[in-house]
Amino acid sequence: MAFTNSVFNQFLSLITRAEFDKLARVHDNGRKSRKFDLWSQFVHLMFIQITERKSLRACVRNVSVSRRQMYHLGARPAPRSTFSDANNKRSADFFKALFNKLFEKASAVASKHKLSFDNPLYSLDATTVEMNKNGFPWAFFRKNKSGIKLHTLLDHNGYLPAVVRIREAKTHDIEIAKTLQLEPGAIVVFDRAYIDYDWFAKFQEKGNSFVTRLKTNARYRVTSRFKANRKQGVTSDQAIRFESKPDLSLRRVGYKDPETGIHYKFLTNNFSLDAKTIADIYKERWEVELFFRWIKQNLKIKTFVGRSENAVLIEIYVALILYLMLALLKSLSKSYMSLQEMLQILQLNLFYRGKIEDLIGPPQKKKNSSKNRCLFLPI
Protein backbone atom coordinates (compact mmCIF):
# COMPACT_ATOMS: atom_id res chain seq x y z
CA MET A 1 0.00 0.00 0.00
CA ALA A 2 1.35 3.43 -0.96
CA PHE A 3 2.36 5.71 1.90
CA THR A 4 0.03 8.68 2.46
CA ASN A 5 0.84 11.61 4.69
CA SER A 6 -1.53 12.43 7.52
CA VAL A 7 -4.18 15.11 7.12
CA PHE A 8 -2.21 17.25 9.59
CA ASN A 9 0.90 16.91 7.42
CA GLN A 10 -0.97 17.90 4.27
CA PHE A 11 -2.55 20.86 6.03
CA LEU A 12 0.79 22.14 7.34
CA SER A 13 2.29 21.83 3.84
CA LEU A 14 0.27 24.90 2.83
CA ILE A 15 3.29 26.76 4.19
CA THR A 16 6.33 24.94 2.80
CA ARG A 17 9.36 24.14 4.97
CA ALA A 18 11.51 26.19 2.58
CA GLU A 19 9.34 29.27 3.20
CA PHE A 20 9.23 28.56 6.92
CA ASP A 21 12.98 28.07 7.26
CA LYS A 22 13.71 31.21 5.23
CA LEU A 23 11.60 33.28 7.64
CA ALA A 24 13.22 31.52 10.60
CA ARG A 25 16.69 32.54 9.38
CA VAL A 26 15.57 36.17 9.03
CA HIS A 27 14.30 36.19 12.62
CA ASP A 28 17.12 34.11 14.06
CA ASN A 29 18.15 35.57 17.43
CA GLY A 30 21.19 33.34 17.77
CA ARG A 31 19.54 30.96 20.24
CA LYS A 32 18.89 27.81 18.24
CA SER A 33 17.71 24.60 19.82
CA ARG A 34 18.45 21.33 18.11
CA LYS A 35 15.94 19.46 20.23
CA PHE A 36 13.01 21.89 19.99
CA ASP A 37 13.34 24.17 16.98
CA LEU A 38 10.86 26.76 15.67
CA TRP A 39 9.12 24.23 13.44
CA SER A 40 8.46 21.90 16.37
CA GLN A 41 7.14 24.82 18.40
CA PHE A 42 4.85 25.86 15.54
CA VAL A 43 3.52 22.30 15.13
CA HIS A 44 2.77 22.10 18.86
CA LEU A 45 0.97 25.44 18.79
CA MET A 46 -1.10 24.46 15.76
CA PHE A 47 -1.99 21.20 17.50
CA ILE A 48 -3.25 23.22 20.49
CA GLN A 49 -5.33 25.46 18.23
CA ILE A 50 -6.89 22.74 16.09
CA THR A 51 -7.61 20.29 18.92
CA GLU A 52 -8.49 23.02 21.46
CA ARG A 53 -6.12 21.76 24.16
CA LYS A 54 -6.65 23.73 27.36
CA SER A 55 -3.12 23.58 28.79
CA LEU A 56 0.51 22.98 27.93
CA ARG A 57 0.39 19.76 29.90
CA ALA A 58 -2.53 18.44 27.84
CA CYS A 59 -0.74 19.33 24.60
CA VAL A 60 2.55 17.70 25.63
CA ARG A 61 0.75 14.58 26.85
CA ASN A 62 -1.17 14.17 23.58
CA VAL A 63 1.87 14.84 21.42
CA SER A 64 4.02 12.39 23.38
CA VAL A 65 1.70 9.50 22.49
CA SER A 66 1.83 10.54 18.83
CA ARG A 67 5.62 10.44 18.46
CA ARG A 68 5.46 8.46 15.25
CA GLN A 69 3.07 10.91 13.62
CA MET A 70 5.15 13.85 14.83
CA TYR A 71 8.28 12.25 13.34
CA HIS A 72 6.66 12.31 9.89
CA LEU A 73 5.80 15.98 10.46
CA GLY A 74 9.46 16.75 11.12
CA ALA A 75 8.66 17.81 14.69
CA ARG A 76 9.93 16.54 18.01
CA PRO A 77 7.97 16.23 21.26
CA ALA A 78 9.34 18.27 24.15
CA PRO A 79 8.91 18.50 27.92
CA ARG A 80 6.40 21.03 29.18
CA SER A 81 9.14 23.29 30.57
CA THR A 82 10.94 23.41 27.20
CA PHE A 83 7.73 24.25 25.37
CA SER A 84 6.87 26.95 27.93
CA ASP A 85 10.35 28.51 27.71
CA ALA A 86 10.10 28.68 23.92
CA ASN A 87 6.76 30.52 24.09
CA ASN A 88 8.10 32.97 26.65
CA LYS A 89 11.52 33.68 25.13
CA ARG A 90 11.23 33.33 21.37
CA SER A 91 10.02 36.61 19.90
CA ALA A 92 6.49 36.77 18.54
CA ASP A 93 7.87 38.73 15.56
CA PHE A 94 8.56 35.49 13.72
CA PHE A 95 4.94 34.38 13.99
CA LYS A 96 3.78 37.85 12.92
CA ALA A 97 5.98 37.50 9.82
CA LEU A 98 4.56 34.03 9.18
CA PHE A 99 1.05 35.49 9.44
CA ASN A 100 1.98 38.12 6.81
CA LYS A 101 3.39 35.40 4.55
CA LEU A 102 0.20 33.35 4.78
CA PHE A 103 -1.88 36.44 3.99
CA GLU A 104 0.11 36.94 0.78
CA LYS A 105 -0.57 33.35 -0.28
CA ALA A 106 -4.26 33.38 0.70
CA SER A 107 -5.01 36.77 -0.87
CA ALA A 108 -3.41 35.70 -4.17
CA VAL A 109 -6.16 33.09 -4.71
CA ALA A 110 -9.02 34.79 -2.82
CA SER A 111 -12.25 35.76 -4.56
CA LYS A 112 -12.86 39.46 -5.26
CA HIS A 113 -15.27 41.54 -3.24
CA LYS A 114 -18.83 41.64 -4.56
CA LEU A 115 -19.22 45.39 -5.14
CA SER A 116 -19.16 46.97 -8.59
CA PHE A 117 -15.82 48.83 -8.44
CA ASP A 118 -12.29 47.44 -8.77
CA ASN A 119 -10.64 49.39 -5.95
CA PRO A 120 -9.33 47.38 -2.98
CA LEU A 121 -11.87 47.49 -0.14
CA TYR A 122 -11.03 47.17 3.57
CA SER A 123 -12.92 47.31 6.86
CA LEU A 124 -11.17 48.71 9.92
CA ASP A 125 -12.25 47.85 13.45
CA ALA A 126 -11.02 46.49 16.78
CA THR A 127 -12.25 43.91 19.27
CA THR A 128 -11.31 43.45 22.91
CA VAL A 129 -10.29 40.12 24.43
CA GLU A 130 -10.78 40.31 28.19
CA MET A 131 -8.48 38.38 30.52
CA ASN A 132 -8.10 37.78 34.23
CA LYS A 133 -6.24 40.60 36.00
CA ASN A 134 -4.29 38.26 38.30
CA GLY A 135 -3.11 36.03 35.49
CA PHE A 136 -2.23 38.83 33.06
CA PRO A 137 -1.22 41.91 35.07
CA TRP A 138 0.78 43.33 32.14
CA ALA A 139 -2.51 43.92 30.24
CA PHE A 140 -4.40 45.74 33.03
CA PHE A 141 -6.81 48.36 31.69
CA ARG A 142 -9.84 48.53 33.98
CA LYS A 143 -10.78 47.75 37.58
CA ASN A 144 -10.26 44.01 38.15
CA LYS A 145 -9.80 43.42 34.42
CA SER A 146 -6.99 42.91 31.96
CA GLY A 147 -7.34 42.71 28.22
CA ILE A 148 -5.90 43.22 24.77
CA LYS A 149 -7.29 44.67 21.55
CA LEU A 150 -7.04 43.16 18.10
CA HIS A 151 -6.94 46.12 15.70
CA THR A 152 -7.81 44.56 12.35
CA LEU A 153 -7.84 45.70 8.74
CA LEU A 154 -10.04 43.18 6.90
CA ASP A 155 -9.52 42.72 3.17
CA HIS A 156 -12.89 42.16 1.49
CA ASN A 157 -11.23 40.04 -1.17
CA GLY A 158 -11.86 36.73 0.56
CA TYR A 159 -12.58 38.49 3.89
CA LEU A 160 -9.02 37.97 5.10
CA PRO A 161 -7.28 39.85 7.92
CA ALA A 162 -4.66 41.89 6.06
CA VAL A 163 -3.22 43.64 9.10
CA VAL A 164 -3.60 42.77 12.79
CA ARG A 165 -2.05 44.94 15.49
CA ILE A 166 -2.30 43.54 19.02
CA ARG A 167 -2.14 46.16 21.76
CA GLU A 168 -3.29 46.68 25.33
CA ALA A 169 -7.03 47.25 25.57
CA LYS A 170 -6.58 50.85 26.74
CA THR A 171 -4.98 51.82 23.40
CA HIS A 172 -7.36 54.08 21.47
CA ASP A 173 -8.47 52.83 18.06
CA ILE A 174 -7.47 55.99 16.19
CA GLU A 175 -3.86 55.71 17.38
CA ILE A 176 -3.45 52.44 15.48
CA ALA A 177 -5.49 53.62 12.50
CA LYS A 178 -3.10 56.51 11.83
CA THR A 179 -0.17 54.10 11.48
CA LEU A 180 -1.75 52.03 8.70
CA GLN A 181 -0.44 52.26 5.15
CA LEU A 182 -2.89 51.61 2.30
CA GLU A 183 -2.12 51.19 -1.37
CA PRO A 184 -3.24 54.11 -3.61
CA GLY A 185 -6.89 53.85 -4.60
CA ALA A 186 -7.89 51.71 -1.64
CA ILE A 187 -11.20 52.33 0.12
CA VAL A 188 -11.53 51.73 3.86
CA VAL A 189 -14.78 51.68 5.84
CA PHE A 190 -15.05 52.15 9.60
CA ASP A 191 -17.46 53.28 12.31
CA ARG A 192 -17.67 56.62 14.11
CA ALA A 193 -14.99 55.70 16.67
CA TYR A 194 -12.38 56.57 14.02
CA ILE A 195 -13.62 60.06 13.12
CA ASP A 196 -10.66 62.45 13.05
CA TYR A 197 -10.78 65.33 10.55
CA ASP A 198 -6.99 65.79 10.45
CA TRP A 199 -6.64 62.11 9.58
CA PHE A 200 -9.32 62.46 6.89
CA ALA A 201 -7.30 65.20 5.19
CA LYS A 202 -4.37 62.80 4.77
CA PHE A 203 -6.59 60.32 2.90
CA GLN A 204 -6.88 62.72 -0.02
CA GLU A 205 -3.13 63.38 -0.02
CA LYS A 206 -2.42 59.64 -0.43
CA GLY A 207 -5.18 58.94 -2.97
CA ASN A 208 -7.31 56.83 -0.63
CA SER A 209 -11.01 56.94 0.16
CA PHE A 210 -12.98 56.28 3.35
CA VAL A 211 -16.61 55.72 4.24
CA THR A 212 -18.01 56.19 7.73
CA ARG A 213 -21.09 57.57 9.50
CA LEU A 214 -21.60 61.21 10.36
CA LYS A 215 -21.65 62.07 14.05
CA THR A 216 -25.02 63.32 15.28
CA ASN A 217 -23.48 66.44 16.84
CA ALA A 218 -21.34 67.37 13.83
CA ARG A 219 -21.48 71.07 12.90
CA TYR A 220 -21.19 71.69 9.17
CA ARG A 221 -22.55 73.71 6.26
CA VAL A 222 -23.71 72.45 2.88
CA THR A 223 -21.66 73.89 -0.01
CA SER A 224 -23.39 72.07 -2.90
CA ARG A 225 -26.10 69.51 -3.55
CA PHE A 226 -26.23 66.59 -5.98
CA LYS A 227 -29.17 64.73 -7.44
CA ALA A 228 -30.41 61.98 -5.11
CA ASN A 229 -31.93 58.78 -6.52
CA ARG A 230 -34.81 58.24 -4.11
CA LYS A 231 -35.82 55.01 -5.84
CA GLN A 232 -32.57 53.51 -4.51
CA GLY A 233 -33.22 54.83 -1.00
CA VAL A 234 -30.87 57.84 -1.30
CA THR A 235 -32.47 60.81 0.50
CA SER A 236 -29.68 63.37 0.07
CA ASP A 237 -26.26 63.81 -1.53
CA GLN A 238 -24.26 66.90 -0.55
CA ALA A 239 -20.81 68.41 -0.36
CA ILE A 240 -20.15 69.83 3.12
CA ARG A 241 -17.49 71.64 5.15
CA PHE A 242 -17.08 71.41 8.92
CA GLU A 243 -16.83 74.46 11.15
CA SER A 244 -13.76 73.00 12.86
CA LYS A 245 -12.06 72.10 9.55
CA PRO A 246 -13.29 74.59 6.91
CA ASP A 247 -10.59 73.69 4.36
CA LEU A 248 -11.74 70.04 4.19
CA SER A 249 -14.54 69.30 1.72
CA LEU A 250 -16.36 66.00 2.27
CA ARG A 251 -19.48 64.31 0.98
CA ARG A 252 -22.59 63.60 3.05
CA VAL A 253 -24.96 60.88 1.80
CA GLY A 254 -28.38 60.29 3.35
CA TYR A 255 -29.81 56.80 2.90
CA LYS A 256 -32.97 55.09 4.16
CA ASP A 257 -32.76 51.32 4.43
CA PRO A 258 -35.88 49.91 2.69
CA GLU A 259 -35.89 46.81 4.91
CA THR A 260 -35.54 48.42 8.34
CA GLY A 261 -36.67 51.97 7.64
CA ILE A 262 -33.57 53.30 9.46
CA HIS A 263 -32.14 56.54 8.10
CA TYR A 264 -28.34 56.70 7.85
CA LYS A 265 -26.03 59.65 7.22
CA PHE A 266 -22.73 58.62 5.66
CA LEU A 267 -19.53 60.63 5.37
CA THR A 268 -16.91 60.09 2.66
CA ASN A 269 -14.24 61.84 0.65
CA ASN A 270 -15.17 59.89 -2.49
CA PHE A 271 -17.15 62.00 -4.99
CA SER A 272 -16.84 59.61 -7.95
CA LEU A 273 -18.91 56.61 -6.81
CA ASP A 274 -22.70 56.92 -6.83
CA ALA A 275 -24.50 57.48 -3.53
CA LYS A 276 -26.06 54.00 -3.41
CA THR A 277 -22.60 52.43 -3.72
CA ILE A 278 -21.42 54.50 -0.74
CA ALA A 279 -24.30 53.03 1.28
CA ASP A 280 -23.43 49.52 0.05
CA ILE A 281 -19.82 50.01 1.13
CA TYR A 282 -20.85 50.85 4.67
CA LYS A 283 -23.19 47.84 4.74
CA GLU A 284 -20.13 45.69 3.94
CA ARG A 285 -18.53 46.88 7.19
CA TRP A 286 -20.61 44.23 8.95
CA GLU A 287 -18.18 41.62 7.61
CA VAL A 288 -15.47 42.65 10.07
CA GLU A 289 -17.96 42.12 12.92
CA LEU A 290 -18.70 38.64 11.56
CA PHE A 291 -14.96 37.97 11.38
CA PHE A 292 -14.49 38.88 15.05
CA ARG A 293 -17.45 36.71 16.02
CA TRP A 294 -16.06 33.76 14.05
CA ILE A 295 -12.57 33.81 15.52
CA LYS A 296 -13.92 34.17 19.06
CA GLN A 297 -16.30 31.25 18.60
CA ASN A 298 -13.98 28.91 16.69
CA LEU A 299 -10.39 29.79 17.54
CA LYS A 300 -8.60 29.61 20.85
CA ILE A 301 -8.05 33.33 21.52
CA LYS A 302 -10.06 33.89 24.72
CA THR A 303 -8.04 31.52 26.89
CA PHE A 304 -4.29 30.98 26.71
CA VAL A 305 -1.85 28.28 27.78
CA GLY A 306 0.87 30.91 28.38
CA ARG A 307 0.72 33.91 30.70
CA SER A 308 3.49 36.22 29.49
CA GLU A 309 2.83 38.94 26.92
CA ASN A 310 5.08 37.25 24.37
CA ALA A 311 3.36 33.87 24.79
CA VAL A 312 -0.10 35.45 24.35
CA LEU A 313 0.99 37.27 21.19
CA ILE A 314 2.37 34.03 19.75
CA GLU A 315 -0.85 32.14 20.45
CA ILE A 316 -3.00 34.83 18.82
CA TYR A 317 -0.83 34.99 15.71
CA VAL A 318 -0.91 31.19 15.41
CA ALA A 319 -4.72 31.28 15.72
CA LEU A 320 -4.90 33.84 12.88
CA ILE A 321 -2.44 31.78 10.83
CA LEU A 322 -4.83 28.84 11.23
CA TYR A 323 -7.67 31.04 9.92
CA LEU A 324 -5.62 32.03 6.86
CA MET A 325 -4.61 28.42 6.22
CA LEU A 326 -8.25 27.34 6.32
CA ALA A 327 -9.15 30.12 3.88
CA LEU A 328 -6.24 29.14 1.61
CA LEU A 329 -7.25 25.47 1.72
CA LYS A 330 -10.85 26.36 0.89
CA SER A 331 -9.76 28.41 -2.14
CA LEU A 332 -7.32 25.80 -3.46
CA SER A 333 -9.67 22.85 -2.98
CA LYS A 334 -12.76 24.78 -4.13
CA SER A 335 -14.54 23.23 -1.17
CA TYR A 336 -18.24 23.87 -0.67
CA MET A 337 -17.77 23.72 3.12
CA SER A 338 -17.62 26.65 5.48
CA LEU A 339 -14.41 27.32 7.39
CA GLN A 340 -16.11 26.10 10.55
CA GLU A 341 -17.02 22.76 8.95
CA MET A 342 -13.49 22.34 7.64
CA LEU A 343 -12.02 23.03 11.07
CA GLN A 344 -14.35 20.52 12.72
CA ILE A 345 -13.34 17.83 10.25
CA LEU A 346 -9.65 18.55 10.82
CA GLN A 347 -10.17 18.20 14.57
CA LEU A 348 -11.52 14.66 14.20
CA ASN A 349 -9.22 13.46 11.43
CA LEU A 350 -5.90 15.13 12.20
CA PHE A 351 -3.76 11.96 11.97
CA TYR A 352 -5.91 10.12 9.45
CA ARG A 353 -3.81 8.91 6.48
CA GLY A 354 -5.86 9.87 3.48
CA LYS A 355 -6.16 12.70 1.00
CA ILE A 356 -7.38 15.87 2.62
CA GLU A 357 -9.32 16.66 -0.57
CA ASP A 358 -11.47 13.58 0.03
CA LEU A 359 -12.63 15.11 3.29
CA ILE A 360 -13.18 18.75 2.38
CA GLY A 361 -13.05 18.82 -1.43
CA PRO A 362 -15.86 19.79 -3.83
CA PRO A 363 -19.01 17.64 -3.69
CA GLN A 364 -18.98 14.55 -5.87
CA LYS A 365 -21.69 13.57 -8.27
CA LYS A 366 -24.93 12.73 -6.56
CA LYS A 367 -24.95 9.07 -7.64
CA ASN A 368 -21.55 8.50 -6.01
CA SER A 369 -21.85 10.78 -2.99
CA SER A 370 -23.42 8.24 -0.59
CA LYS A 371 -20.92 5.52 -1.55
CA ASN A 372 -17.64 7.42 -1.60
CA ARG A 373 -17.99 10.39 0.72
CA CYS A 374 -17.17 10.02 4.42
CA LEU A 375 -16.59 13.20 6.40
CA PHE A 376 -15.80 11.77 9.82
CA LEU A 377 -13.25 9.01 9.80
CA PRO A 378 -11.69 7.13 12.72
CA ILE A 379 -8.49 8.68 14.10
Side-chain angles (χ1 to χ4, degrees):
M1 182 180 293
F3 177 82
T4 304
N5 285 324
S6 67
V7 168
F8 196 16
N9 194 315
Q10 296 169 65
F11 184 66
L12 290 175
S13 67
L14 291 171
I15 176 75
T16 67
R17 282 301 299 271
E19 293 170 319
F20 188 96
D21 292 341
K22 183 178 179 180
L23 280 177
R25 287 192 295 271
V26 171
H27 293 270
D28 179 22
N29 59 4
R31 299 182 62 180
K32 295 183 179 180
S33 173
R34 288 178 293 179
K35 292 185 177 180
F36 194 65
D37 57 10
L38 261 173
W39 176 254
S40 296
Q41 182 185 5
F42 175 64
V43 172
H44 278 67
L45 289 165
M46 286 295 285
F47 182 84
I48 286 176
Q49 277 294 329
I50 296 174
T51 61
E52 298 181 343
R53 299 301 88 187
K54 298 185 182 298
S55 66
L56 285 173
R57 181 178 284 106
C59 173
V60 170
R61 184 183 299 121
N62 281 261
V63 168
S64 65
V65 299
S66 306
R67 288 177 176 272
R68 192 173 180 180
Q69 291 89 336
M70 286 293 165
Y71 172 80
H72 290 295
L73 292 172
R76 297 183 179 184
R80 182 167 57 93
S81 59
T82 302
F83 188 19
S84 178
D85 287 344
N87 292 336
N88 291 327
K89 296 178 181 179
R90 286 177 179 163
S91 175
D93 290 343
F94 166 78
F95 296 93
K96 180 180 179 180
L98 187 59
F99 163 81
N100 293 332
K101 184 67 177 179
L102 258 299
F103 171 74
E104 291 177 7
K105 298 188 72 171
S107 61
V109 295
S111 57
K112 278 186 57 63
H113 63 73
K114 58 187 179 183
L115 297 184
S116 58
F117 52 85
D118 294 327
N119 305 63
L121 177 61
Y122 300 94
S123 286
L124 176 62
D125 207 347
T127 188
T128 300
V129 177
E130 294 188 357
M131 301 182 293
N132 182 274
K133 175 187 174 183
N134 296 327
F136 305 89
W138 51 267
F140 172 77
F141 79 104
R142 193 183 297 166
K143 184 179 180 181
N144 298 325
K145 285 188 179 180
S146 289
I148 53 175
K149 261 188 183 179
L150 275 63
H151 302 266
T152 303
L153 187 69
L154 188 75
D155 189 345
H156 284 246
N157 288 348
Y159 301 118
L160 304 174
V163 178
V164 176
R165 303 278 173 81
I166 306 168
R167 298 291 187 272
E168 295 178 3
K170 61 185 178 182
T171 305
H172 198 283
D173 297 352
I174 193 64
E175 293 181 26
I176 303 300
K178 290 181 177 180
T179 66
L180 298 176
Q181 300 292 327
L182 301 172
E183 63 266 46
I187 301 173
V188 59
V189 55
F190 42 80
D191 62 21
R192 287 179 283 201
Y194 292 90
I195 288 184
D196 184 295
Y197 299 138
D198 292 331
W199 184 45
F200 290 170
K202 293 181 180 179
F203 270 87
Q204 293 172 313
E205 296 174 6
K206 297 180 179 180
N208 300 133
S209 301
F210 69 86
V211 176
T212 186
R213 290 178 65 185
L214 186 69
K215 281 190 173 181
T216 55
N217 62 349
R219 299 175 67 86
Y220 61 90
R221 61 183 178 86
V222 178
T223 58
S224 59
R225 302 177 188 274
F226 311 109
K227 185 177 181 180
N229 190 338
R230 295 187 176 274
K231 291 182 179 180
Q232 295 182 331
V234 179
T235 59
S236 60
D237 192 357
Q238 308 161 338
I240 64 172
R241 292 182 184 272
F242 292 94
E243 293 183 5
S244 60
K245 193 74 174 177
D247 58 333
L248 179 64
S249 178
L250 296 177
R251 182 183 182 188
R252 175 191 176 278
V253 173
Y255 175 76
K256 186 176 182 179
D257 191 316
E259 297 181 2
T260 64
I262 298 176
H263 188 256
Y264 297 94
K265 299 173 184 177
F266 302 118
L267 186 66
T268 181
N269 66 336
N270 191 307
F271 287 84
S272 59
L273 296 175
D274 64 79
K276 178 60 168 57
T277 301
I278 298 299
D280 291 340
I281 288 174
Y282 193 84
K283 188 175 182 179
E284 274 284 287
R285 195 197 72 83
W286 181 244
E287 294 297 335
V288 72
E289 303 287 354
L290 296 178
F291 169 75
F292 288 144
R293 182 187 300 177
W294 195 96
I295 63 174
K296 286 185 175 181
Q297 290 178 346
N298 296 280
L299 301 180
K300 196 173 181 299
I301 64 167
K302 293 194 292 185
T303 59
F304 305 95
V305 298
R307 293 299 180 92
S308 70
E309 181 177 3
N310 191 73
V312 170
L313 291 178
I314 287 176
E315 289 185 58
I316 291 177
Y317 278 123
V318 170
L320 295 172
I321 288 169
L322 172 57
Y323 180 90
L324 290 174
M325 291 177 73
L326 288 169
L328 177 58
L329 179 61
K330 180 177 174 65
S331 296
L332 294 176
S333 66
K334 303 186 185 304
S335 175
Y336 70 99
M337 293 184 179
S338 67
L339 298 188
Q340 184 185 54
E341 290 174 319
M342 291 170 59
L343 179 58
Q344 290 171 346
I345 288 175
L346 283 176
Q347 289 171 339
L348 292 179
N349 298 280
L350 206 55
F351 291 118
Y352 167 69
R353 295 193 181 280
K355 292 183 179 180
I356 195 170
E357 294 84 359
D358 293 339
L359 300 179
I360 53 88
Q364 300 177 9
K365 294 181 180 180
K366 187 174 181 180
K367 63 180 182 179
N368 296 326
S369 59
S370 60
K371 182 187 299 183
N372 297 331
R373 188 167 187 81
C374 179
L375 299 183
F376 297 95
L377 299 173
I379 298 176

